[in-house]
Amino acid sequence: MSEAIRVGLLGCGTVGTGVLRILAENREEIVARLGTAIEVVKILVRDADKVRDPAVPRSLLTSDPREVLEADVHVIVEVMGGYEPARALLLDALSRGHHVVTANKALLARHGAELFVAADEAHRDVIFEASVGGGIPIIRTLREGLAADRIHALYGIINGTSNFMLTAMSDQGKSYADALADAQARGYAEADPTMDVGGIDAAQKLSILIAISFGLDIAFEDIRTEGIDRVTADDIRFAKRFGYTVKPLAVAKAHADGVEARVHPTLIPASTMLGSVHGVFNAVLVSSRALGPVLFYGQGAGMMPTAHSVVSDIIELGRNIQRGTSGRLPHLAFHRELVAERAQRDPRLTRCPFYLRFEVHDEPGVLAKISGILGDHGISIRQMLQETSQPGEAVPVVILTHVAQEGAVLDAIAAIDALDFVAEPTCYLRVEDLA
Ligand code: NAP
Ligand code: HSE
């Protein structure tokens, strides 16, 4: 058997613990596939004396990063999260000649370019399968499996916490707060769960998917991002009455005048494949010129699915190390100097149907005024419903539109919200009538 692949672990929380479990539980398969064992030689944590489940030998744990970086390792695995000190530690690791595996999409979305340059200069690799889609091998597939094709569009449910929460609210009638607490207890949520429910985690993942699918850098802060925190139990109920389910969707589409990128809760027909992706499951629907549509589906967060992706990356690096090779693939799939420049498209140009929920005081002429303003903005109504009002209370009026331009819809909403009979800002959600 050849030399073991020695690993230093930065972090031993949900994902790090899963990595240790997989290395122990699947040791035989891993050795048979890699031709040697993977050994974790040092682990960085905040509190080295904390009791860990399953137990980790105290001698492996340290709260001093130098003990990990200076150890005799081939690979540093970063599963600690956050920007700093993760960024500094990985740059240090690369300068020492270590390869890097990371699950940290926030770090990659903000500092990926710097890390990849450092890796190229050091002739080392940074790989990141677990950063998007948890256990789904979507990064490897986009970088290698679809390398021959031209990708037109991506539709992804890529935040497990948000999908888990919306499913629990929709199917079990759970409150938003209870659903979030449950997702946190299961280890799905980020350390700061506003990253999940606010859509930022999905925007960071979408920026990575766009880079490796279209060869385009879009800062995640520039992606139009709306979280599930704007969806109410009423919206879920009304959507059901129209035959839709509400899903946290990330969308990227290539147009002649740029790439459209957005993250938001979306009405999807309940009968479609993406509409059937529930709980912590994620899915990415990719549409490309030669292959057509292809769907990748699996658990998008949680200890073992995510750790499985991390360990598969260690195995890939182990194989490269055994062959004395690195840099086989460009980190972001494309040789950037050969990609034609493209910009991000103005989000106001997005075209799709919209779900609009107006909260209005029930008085004569309300519907005529709303539909008049929508008509003036070129927005055509497809379906409408209004529930019975209680005296003195506002009543929801819900409208599904035909395909409309986002800029026109936002302008129409601003005009309607200025009217006296409107009780609160109008809720709008986009609709994707996917097949
Ligand atoms: P976690 O449970 O909070 O674990 C973080 C670990 O890192 C802990 O062991 C913690 O030490 C250690 N740590 C954090 N900051 C540190 C510091 N400054 N110095 C030393 N040690 C530090 O996080 P996680 O859920 O495993 O997530 C880790 C990464 O994987 C994140 O980037 C996350 O976005 C990504 N990810 C997570 C999932 C998931 O389902 N959880 C899925 C995909 C990707 P202590 O144990 O002593 O506190
Ligand atoms: N918090 C993330 C999610 C973890 O819920 O999808 C997986 O990246």
Side-chain angles (χ1 to χ4, degrees), residues 105 158-161 188-190 196 201 205 300-301:
K105 55 274 169 157
I158 50 176
N159 184 265
T161 300
Y188 301 156
E190 295 303 303
D196 297 290
D201 174 83
K205 291 166 174 168

Side-chain angles (χ1 to χ4, degrees), residues 206-432:
L206 184 62
S207 74
I208 296 170
L209 292 180
I210 287 172
I212 61 176
S213 302
F214 303 113
L216 177 70
D217 291 322
I218 296 183
F220 72 87
E221 295 95 335
D222 292 339
I223 293 176
R224 177 156 291 188
T225 300
E226 293 159 10
I228 62 158
D229 40 8
R230 62 205 295 273
V231 179
T232 65
D234 274 351
D235 294 321
I236 293 173
R237 187 167 58 82
F238 290 133
K240 267 188 194 168
R241 286 178 60 179
F242 290 126
Y244 289 96
T245 179
V246 184
K247 292 288 168 198
L249 199 68
V251 180
K253 290 184 197 174
H255 298 273
D257 57 348
V259 172
E260 171 185 336
R262 48 197 167 91
V263 169
H264 45 71
T266 309
L267 271 69
I268 298 177
S271 57
T272 57
M273 285 195 284
L274 275 186
S276 315
V277 175
H278 300 310
V280 73
F281 279 78
N282 279 196
V284 182
L285 176 63
V286 181
S287 173
S288 63
R289 184 189 273 182
L291 178 61
V294 56
L295 183 74
F296 303 93
Y297 170 80
Q299 292 186 68
M303 179 183 286
M304 297 306 270
T306 309
H308 137 273
S309 288
V310 172
V311 176
S312 73
D313 277 356
I314 303 173
I315 293 172
E316 178 179 329
L317 289 178
R319 288 173 171 151
N320 290 349
I321 291 163
Q322 288 165 346
R323 292 280 175 274
T325 179
S326 68
R328 195 174 62 80
L329 294 175
H331 283 105
L332 293 175
F334 289 88
H335 291 273
R336 288 311 179 88
E337 68 282 10
L338 302 178
V339 177
E341 260 191 42
R342 264 186 300 183
Q344 184 180 357
R345 198 167 187 245
D346 180 352
R348 284 178 61 89
L349 298 178
T350 294
R351 291 181 62 78
C352 62
F354 279 77
Y355 161 100
L356 307 174
R357 176 172 50 78
F358 304 97
E359 294 290 333
V360 295
H361 296 294
D362 198 358
E363 55 189 59
V366 164
L367 284 181
K369 282 188 184 142
I370 291 177
S371 57
I373 291 176
L374 292 177
D376 291 346
H377 287 80
I379 301 159
S380 161
I381 295 173
R382 182 167 110 194
Q383 261 176 290
M384 194 181 74
L385 65 86
Q386 179 181 348
E387 291 196 332
T388 324
S389 62
Q390 300 300 321
E393 280 184 12
V395 59
V397 171
V398 183
I399 286 178
L400 269 192
T401 74
H402 284 288
V403 171
Q405 187 154 313
E406 177 157 326
V409 172
L410 297 182
D411 290 347
I413 290 173
I416 291 167
D417 283 358
L419 298 173
D420 287 347
F421 58 75
V422 177
E424 60 180 68
T426 295
C427 165
Y428 63 90
L429 298 170
R430 296 166 193 80
V431 179
E432 289 287 345

